[in-house]
Amino acid sequence: MSTTTISGYLLDRLAQIGVESVFGVPGDFSLQFVEKIVDHKIVEWVGACNELNAAYAADGYSRVKGVPGCLSTTFGVGELSAINGIAGSFAERVPVVHVVGTPPTEQMKDKPLLHHTLGNGHFEAYSKAAEHFVVASAILSEPSTAGAEIDRVLIDCVTKFRPVYITLPTDLVNAVVSATPLQIPLDFTIPENDTATEAAVLDVIVKQVSTAQDRVVVIVDGCALRYGVTGEVKDFLRKTKFPVFVAPMGKSAVDESYERFGGVYAGRPSLPAVKQTIEQATLIISIGAICSDINTGGFSHELPKTKLIELHSDRTEVFHAVYPRIGMKHLLPKLTTKLPTPASLMPMTSYAYPVPEEEHDGITQPWLWPTVGSHFRPGDVIVADTGTSAFGTLDIRMKSGSVYMTQTLWGSIGYSVGAALGAALAARQCKMGKTYLFVGDGSLQLTVQELSTMMHLGLKPIIFVINNSGYTIERFLHGPTQSFNDIVNWKWTKLLDALSDEKAMSESYKVATKTELDQLLSKPDFGKVITLVEVVVPMFDAPPILRRYRQ
């Protein structure tokens, strides 16, 4: 019987499911495991500047690559620093594996007055805190059960699309276990729907679609991305030719170059033509909805149950009837087969956010977003931070194969910088296009250190720093002129020089006029190295959709 170590078993399992990078910060109780990562033939170690950013990076990596992100921290001080990032992944349904190096098993039992503890013997306090933000935990304590425990939580991570937590005591890192189970791939199969119930649901939906004729629209939301049904959605749309829209969290779940793509629906803040098309439809098919406040325009969706069919990962709802355990992964392909190709198509307004004509040369947000978006290419990765960037990028029509990410539900400012690290690394591994990061001057100050990590890894994201002199998104909420919404105006174009080593190649620019930005974006060599562009915009300016949120 072949053998391996517990750490080797875990790393080999991660490699089997497509993980090539583990993010983190080394700490005394995790050093032995980090050493095993460095020595692994497939999985690489990516040292972040702090644990919070490592958690953000694991999240961004997962969203781009479609496999769990992974981070390693040390007991107590390290894992608690990461917990905000893990909570965000839980809220937004992103699979992440958090491996925590702990003291040896005997000390975990005896609870001496050890560093990184609370000094009261409550060694379990951290794992109990983690329980609120993960779907499964494996508290490894003996070699005989370690492999099975690792397999159990990895299956939960992949099939439930949320973070999991694994503790690895220092004395078990090199403990010998059987390697035989590694010869059998983990089973991530989603259980089939109940045949009889599913057939009845299909008949009901087909009947309602037939009754509605050419007055059917589709809204695709974030769970279509998270639960891996974008391929099934694409087939469904190509067959039915229904007009399709996305909610903010569903952006990039649909190929936005598709001729029947109608734009972003967010309730009241939506473009009038979008709102009218959806709310006047006879039947609305919602796929993977996440009905949070910002995602629905402050709960302003006008989608009455009497004309709404909802497809979810764990249930289907037709009007007021709920069918538990009839999931969209298996239902959608069968629905696509059963629905006929329509005899006529519902008319719809072409989706476009044209660049506005403005008499002055100053940069405004209504002008900025469609201008920058016109330079995107297929397969690019777009990362936007909470704030005006998250709203502004909604007005950009993404190219085919693009990945878009922000934190619409969790909304932790600074998330985008760490996430861009993981996203850019995953994009390189997947041979995708450029990575764009849009971040406000206030948000960047929280997590700016990871620009250093990006340069260390040779990543080349294009970073747009939206300099509007503080927390403009918060000025819209409360205290537009209050000092607590002001920040120190850093020398933004000096950041890459300050955070790099002597070998790093970078470029930085400051633009304050349309002419300057147009000329910069038109440069043939723009973005060949990591590039930071400080974009100066008025303090109280905002993207159009954000202004409509306030109406």
Side-chain angles (χ1 to χ4, degrees):
M1 181 179 66
S2 62
T3 60
T4 184
T5 62
I6 291 178
S7 58
Y9 189 99
L10 173 56
L11 291 171
D12 285 349
R13 276 301 195 204
L14 290 171
Q16 287 177 357
I17 61 178
V19 177
E20 296 181 66
S21 302
V22 176
F23 304 88
V25 177
D28 52 357
F29 293 125
S30 66
L31 287 175
Q32 292 183 56
F33 178 57
V34 172
E35 187 174 46
K36 298 303 179 184
I37 300 171
V38 172
D39 292 340
H40 196 267
K41 61 183 181 296
I42 296 175
V43 181
E44 66 174 356
W45 168 254
V46 179
C49 295
N50 61 54
E51 292 88 355
L52 173 61
N53 289 344
Y56 288 156
D59 181 294
Y61 184 90
S62 176
R63 295 194 196 211
V64 171
K65 197 163 186 185
V67 302
C70 187
L71 74 150
S72 168
T73 66
T74 195
F75 179 67
V77 293
E79 60 180 303
L80 293 183
S81 293
I83 206 165
N84 175 49
I86 297 296
S89 297
F90 183 92
E92 303 230 342
R93 298 164 175 82
V94 179
V96 170
V97 179
H98 185 186
V99 183
V100 177
T102 72
T105 50
E106 286 302 315
Q107 289 187 339
M108 293 297 290
K109 292 177 183 177
D110 297 340
K111 299 178 174 52
L113 191 60
L114 196 66
H115 67 286
H116 294 344
T117 70
L118 300 172
N120 59 2
H122 290 176
F123 279 36
E124 73 283 356
Y126 314 134
S127 59
K128 287 186 177 297
E131 288 176 0
H132 298 281
F133 310 110
V134 298
V135 292
S137 299
I139 311 301
L140 303 184
S141 58
E142 56 182 85
S144 63
T145 58
E149 283 292 276
I150 290 169
D151 290 353
R152 174 181 62 83
V153 297
L154 290 182
I155 290 172
D156 280 347
C157 182
V158 172
T159 59
K160 297 179 181 178
F161 299 88
R162 280 195 161 104
V164 295
Y165 177 89
I166 300 173
T167 62
L168 181 55
T170 56
D171 60 323
L172 293 186
V173 171
N174 294 312
V176 176
V177 296
S178 171
T180 301
L182 292 172
Q183 299 173 18
I184 304 172
L186 296 179
D187 185 4
F188 301 127
T189 304
I190 297 174
E192 294 282 346
N193 297 329
D194 177 76
T195 303
T197 306
E198 184 180 63
V201 171
L202 288 168
D203 288 343
V204 171
I205 296 175
V206 170
K207 179 181 178 180
Q208 294 303 326
V209 170
S210 177
T211 301
Q213 296 182 349
D214 64 352
R215 306 299 299 175
V216 182
V217 300
V218 178
I219 303 174
V220 182
D221 208 343
C223 280
L225 284 165
R226 303 294 183 266
Y227 289 87
V229 298
T230 55
E232 290 83 355
V233 169
K234 181 178 180 179
D235 293 341
F236 176 74
L237 295 173
R238 295 290 178 184
K239 171 72 177 294
T240 63
K241 301 293 192 295
F242 295 146
V244 59
F245 303 82
V246 294
M249 288 185 75
K251 193 164 179 66
S252 79
V254 173
D255 183 350
E256 298 188 7
S257 66
Y258 176 47
E259 66 272 13
R260 300 287 286 168
F261 177 66
V264 178
Y265 178 68
R268 184 183 62 250
S270 309
L271 286 174
V274 171
K275 190 172 185 294
Q276 181 179 14
T277 301
I278 290 175
E279 294 174 2
Q280 290 185 357
T282 301
L283 185 67
I284 301 164
I285 299 176
S286 168
I287 303 176
I290 302 174
C291 296
S292 68
D293 52 354
I294 294 176
N295 203 38
T296 61
F299 302 118
S300 65
H301 268 195
E302 295 185 25
L303 307 177
K305 282 284 189 181
T306 52
K307 59 179 182 180
L308 182 62
I309 295 173
E310 298 182 56
L311 309 184
H312 294 279
S313 63
D314 59 351
R315 69 190 187 281
T316 298
E317 300 182 23
V318 182
F319 306 152
H320 292 284
V322 180
Y323 301 89
R325 295 180 296 281
I326 302 298
M328 58 186 173
K329 183 71 173 178
H330 295 303
L331 183 70
L332 263 171
K334 296 171 185 174
L335 184 59
T336 300
T337 300
K338 289 184 73 72
L339 286 174
T341 301
S344 60
L345 299 181
M346 179 178 177
M348 57 183 294
T349 304
S350 177
Y351 170 61
Y353 286 96
V355 178
E357 294 184 5
E358 297 176 342
E359 295 181 357
H360 59 86
D361 199 32
I363 297 174
T364 64
Q365 298 223 23
W367 179 90
L368 171 65
W369 300 107
T371 297
V372 173
S374 67
H375 290 264
F376 291 166
R377 295 294 177 265
D380 285 344
V381 176
I382 292 86
V383 187
D385 209 280
T386 297
T388 57
S389 296
F391 289 94
T393 46
L394 292 178
D395 287 347
I396 298 175
R397 188 164 189 166
M398 304 295 168
K399 299 296 192 298
S400 178
S402 296
V403 174
Y404 171 82
M405 70 178 71
T406 188
Q407 271 194 338
T408 305
L409 176 55
W410 186 242
S412 182
I413 66 170
Y415 156 81
S416 68
V417 185
L421 164 62
L425 185 58
R428 184 168 70 184
Q429 292 174 1
C430 296
K431 296 179 172 56
M432 297 178 65
K434 293 181 181 294
T435 298
Y436 289 85
L437 166 61
F438 296 94
V439 58
D441 50 347
S443 296
L444 182 55
Q445 291 191 359
L446 275 77
T447 49
V448 67
Q449 307 97 316
E450 296 317 318
L451 299 182
S452 175
T453 310
M454 295 176 197
M455 288 185 281
H456 178 66
L457 295 174
L459 301 172
K460 302 173 184 177
I462 300 174
I463 304 151
F464 287 90
V465 181
I466 312 304
N467 185 349
N468 46 19
S469 303
Y471 299 121
T472 293
I473 187 70
E474 306 220 0
R475 297 188 199 278
F476 270 73
L477 297 174
H478 185 78
T481 60
Q482 288 283 5
S483 60
F484 52 70
N485 283 324
D486 299 333
I487 65 168
V488 176
N489 189 29
W490 288 0
K491 296 179 180 178
W492 303 103
T493 57
K494 304 295 184 183
L495 280 178
L496 297 184
D497 286 341
L499 295 173
S500 69
D501 58 31
E502 295 180 356
K503 298 178 181 178
M505 299 291 292
S506 66
E507 292 183 353
S508 297
Y509 305 90
K510 180 176 182 177
V511 295
T513 68
K514 295 181 177 71
T515 301
E516 290 172 339
L517 184 55
D518 277 335
Q519 291 175 346
L520 178 60
L521 295 175
S522 299
K523 289 179 59 176
D525 59 346
F526 177 72
K528 296 295 184 183
V529 297
I530 185 171
T531 303
L532 184 147
V533 182
E534 177 187 355
V535 184
V536 180
V537 297
M539 178 185 294
F540 298 105
D541 191 25
I545 192 170
L546 178 56
R547 293 188 178 279
R548 294 195 295 271
Y549 264 85
R550 296 297 308 275
Q551 293 175 355

